[in-house]
Amino acid sequence: MIRLFNVHYPIRTLILLVGEALIVWTSFLLGMALQHREDLYVALNYEGGYFKILAVTLVVLACSHWFDLYDPNHFDEKGELYRRVLLVPGVLAVMLAAAGYAFPQLLPGNNSTLVGFVILTAGMFGWRAAYGWLAQRPYLRERVYVLGTGERAQQLVRGLRARSEMGIEVVGWSGNVEGALTRDSVASHLMELIRQQRIHRVIVAMPDRRGTLPVHELLQLRLNGIKIEEATSWLERMSGRIEVEQLYPSWLIFAEGFRFSASLRIVRQILSRLAAAALLLLVLPVIPFVILLIKLDSPGAVLYRQKRMGRAGATFYCYKFRTMRRDAEADTGATWATDDDPRITRIGRMLRISRLDEIPQLWCVLKGDMAFVGPRPERPEFVEWLSREIPYYPVRLAVRPGITGWAQVRYKYGNTLEDAREKLQYDLYYIKNGSLGLDLLVMFETIKIVTLGRGAQ
């Protein structure tokens, strides 16, 4: 995997993305070349041809992301994959036709866009087929040995073998060692594989290393150019979360990351407020209709105010459009919403699915109580309870809570203790790797989730 702007991406996925971008760019460049044989230089350099092709390329990549064409979970679904590939030019054609009708000057003329579409469709199918073939070549795979046994090592082996886009081949692990697991037996098994097969990396996943870790052999391998790494980092990269079950305070103290410089805080806060202001202006025409629907649907106030806990344990009031009955917690007290919660009104359910109930939280961002991206703000009662039940839960209070966040885009809505534990692991990953790049990725994923109506509760 490669790290860009503090976010880990599989190298093969980046190759797929870059290759597809080149295919799109080349397709529409060829379209212009074929249709503007005499004045191609003028069309490209004086009529904004290069910028128009770049804009179309970005739109195609966005559509491909929309249809999960860069999601490794769908790479093996060949029939479904090619159906989605075919949908991209179709959706793009509708979008560009509408844009061309409203603003004809935005598109390359002389039917070059149509010719580009034909080339693009064939090019995308050809590139996907070529990529699928290349991904299976053994010389493009990194050979790895997993040193360790137990659940953690098995989880790592399963994850590496399931994530084909990472280009990792697990050629052996200590779980295959015959007989008693000792330092000598582990070292013998490892060195035998080194002699038989060319191993590029050894990942150590041993829960108890006393008496079983072949230190001398690992040092010799590292000096010979073989990479030696810890399992914790690989599990973090693969899952996008930090597991709390086997987490030690020393790791939180010494691990790379968890850095919050004053300049980064200021820049993120400025960007959060700018994003909140821009989104508020965008949805402003919708707000009167939302207010009217809430008033017509059920009696009670339009806005719902609730105390939440923010950065460093400071409390603030979080605002939302009311989606429940006026007396929703009269008998039960503070409780999470459940599946098919009877307290949710008809309009409230629609607002939750569309995320329109979150609009008033933009005011909390403008005030500085929240950020645009961050852990979900929880009620003080829940924070107190969850801090007793889940190790390291108070760590999430190190940053401002957000309207959206890494846990929100990677995990479903949670209403149980186990859900809170799972989401904390994603929050810890976000806090450890916090950066503007990760914030932008979360925002981009949020747009996709909201528009497609995924993960609603």
Side-chain angles (χ1 to χ4, degrees):
M1 301 185 79
I2 188 171
R3 189 173 185 175
L4 297 175
F5 306 108
N6 252 22
V7 184
H8 290 99
Y9 299 96
I11 294 179
R12 292 189 173 198
T13 302
L14 290 179
I15 292 174
L16 175 63
L17 177 65
V18 171
E20 200 148 280
L22 291 175
I23 292 293
V24 179
W25 175 274
T26 304
S27 297
F28 286 97
L29 185 61
L30 284 175
M32 291 194 67
L34 292 173
Q35 297 301 110
H36 294 269
R37 298 175 187 271
E38 304 296 332
D39 58 344
L40 178 62
Y41 183 84
V42 174
L44 290 175
N45 294 277
Y46 293 98
E47 296 179 359
Y50 285 122
F51 293 104
K52 293 175 182 179
I53 294 174
L54 176 62
V56 173
T57 301
L58 294 176
V59 172
V60 171
L61 297 181
C63 288
S64 297
H65 172 71
W66 179 287
F67 290 115
D68 296 324
L69 289 177
Y70 305 124
D71 186 349
N73 295 323
H74 299 285
F75 284 176
D76 295 330
E77 304 170 1
K78 296 302 181 184
E80 177 66 16
L81 181 67
Y82 287 120
R83 185 187 71 83
R84 296 185 183 208
V85 169
L86 188 60
L87 281 174
V88 172
V91 172
L92 183 65
V94 175
M95 294 173 63
L96 293 184
Y101 179 79
F103 308 100
Q105 69 278 9
L106 290 180
L107 300 180
N110 204 22
N111 292 324
S112 59
T113 303
L114 179 60
V115 176
F117 267 119
V118 175
I119 301 174
L120 172 63
T121 304
M124 288 185 69
F125 275 96
W127 168 238
R128 287 283 171 165
Y131 174 81
W133 180 82
L134 285 171
Q136 301 302 319
R137 298 306 95 194
Y139 47 80
L140 293 179
R141 304 182 72 84
E142 188 176 37
R143 304 168 72 81
V144 167
Y145 181 89
V146 176
L147 182 60
T149 58
E151 177 57 34
R152 195 155 178 259
Q154 292 182 44
Q155 180 184 355
L156 179 62
V157 172
R158 288 195 301 266
L160 291 174
R161 287 175 173 169
R163 298 284 299 275
S164 59
E165 78 281 1
M166 297 179 68
I168 297 291
E169 180 182 359
V170 180
V171 296
W173 71 296
S174 302
N176 294 332
V177 176
E178 298 181 357
L181 195 66
T182 63
R183 194 204 70 81
D184 291 337
S185 63
V186 170
S188 175
H189 186 250
L190 173 60
M191 300 311 291
E192 181 65 24
L193 278 175
I194 293 289
R195 284 191 293 269
Q196 293 178 359
Q197 307 185 54
R198 186 166 176 262
I199 292 179
H200 304 94
R201 189 188 305 264
V202 175
I203 304 177
V204 180
M206 303 184 75
D208 185 7
R209 302 174 185 180
R210 290 173 297 182
T212 56
L213 185 66
V215 178
H216 176 75
E217 287 79 3
L218 289 177
L219 178 59
Q220 188 60 45
L221 292 177
R222 181 167 186 177
L223 294 175
N224 290 337
I226 296 177
K227 298 177 182 178
I228 312 295
E229 294 184 328
E230 252 282 356
T232 302
S233 300
W234 273 92
L235 290 170
E236 175 189 338
R237 295 173 201 169
M238 288 192 304
S239 63
R241 62 182 186 176
I242 297 174
E243 298 181 347
V244 298
E245 287 81 5
Q246 301 185 31
L247 191 61
Y248 298 98
S250 58
W251 187 86
L252 289 173
I253 295 171
F254 296 113
E256 182 182 355
F258 296 106
R259 296 190 180 96
F260 308 102
S261 64
S263 59
L264 180 60
R265 289 186 188 275
I266 293 172
V267 171
R268 292 173 73 180
Q269 191 66 6
I270 292 173
L271 290 179
S272 288
R273 289 178 173 174
L274 289 175
L279 185 57
L280 189 59
L281 289 174
L282 185 65
V283 300
L284 200 58
V286 180
I287 293 179
F289 296 99
V290 173
I291 294 174
L292 179 61
L293 289 173
I294 293 174
K295 296 296 289 184
L296 293 175
D297 185 53
S298 62
V302 172
L303 288 178
Y304 179 65
R305 188 182 77 161
Q306 197 174 69
K307 185 178 289 187
R308 299 291 176 99
M309 189 169 286
R311 180 171 170 250
T315 58
F316 67 97
Y317 282 103
C318 179
Y319 298 89
K320 287 187 178 184
F321 283 125
R322 182 175 58 84
T323 59
M324 291 188 176
R325 302 191 313 262
R326 183 169 49 184
D327 58 345
E329 293 185 344
D331 300 324
T332 59
T335 55
W336 279 316
T338 59
D339 299 331
D340 300 321
D341 199 313
R343 299 174 299 168
I344 301 176
T345 64
R346 291 172 299 175
I347 295 300
R349 194 170 302 281
M350 181 192 73
L351 294 178
R352 286 181 171 233
I353 292 174
S354 61
R355 304 303 203 284
L356 292 175
D357 63 316
E358 311 278 355
I359 291 176
Q361 288 190 68
L362 296 172
W363 173 245
C364 299
V365 178
L366 293 175
K367 285 172 56 184
D369 293 327
M370 295 176 60
F372 202 91
V373 179
R376 182 179 182 271
E378 277 292 359
R379 301 170 70 169
E381 308 95 303
F382 291 149
V383 172
E384 182 180 354
W385 169 54
L386 293 171
S387 297
R388 294 194 305 266
E389 300 293 330
I390 304 176
Y392 311 106
Y393 191 82
V395 175
R396 69 196 303 276
L397 300 178
V399 297
R400 284 184 175 87
I403 295 178
T404 184
W406 184 245
Q408 289 90 308
V409 300
R410 296 296 296 264
Y411 192 76
K412 64 183 180 68
Y413 176 88
N415 52 21
T416 66
L417 177 63
E418 188 55 38
D419 288 336
R421 189 189 307 274
E422 287 291 323
K423 298 193 81 168
L424 171 65
Q425 297 179 136
Y426 290 105
D427 287 334
L428 290 177
Y429 178 91
Y430 172 78
I431 296 171
K432 178 179 181 290
N433 299 283
S435 65
L436 296 179
L438 186 55
D439 283 355
L440 292 175
L441 177 62
V442 170
M443 290 181 184
F444 194 64
E445 289 291 336
T446 300
I447 294 172
K448 178 180 175 180
I449 290 172
V450 171
T451 53
L452 295 179
R454 295 178 177 176
Q457 170 64 38

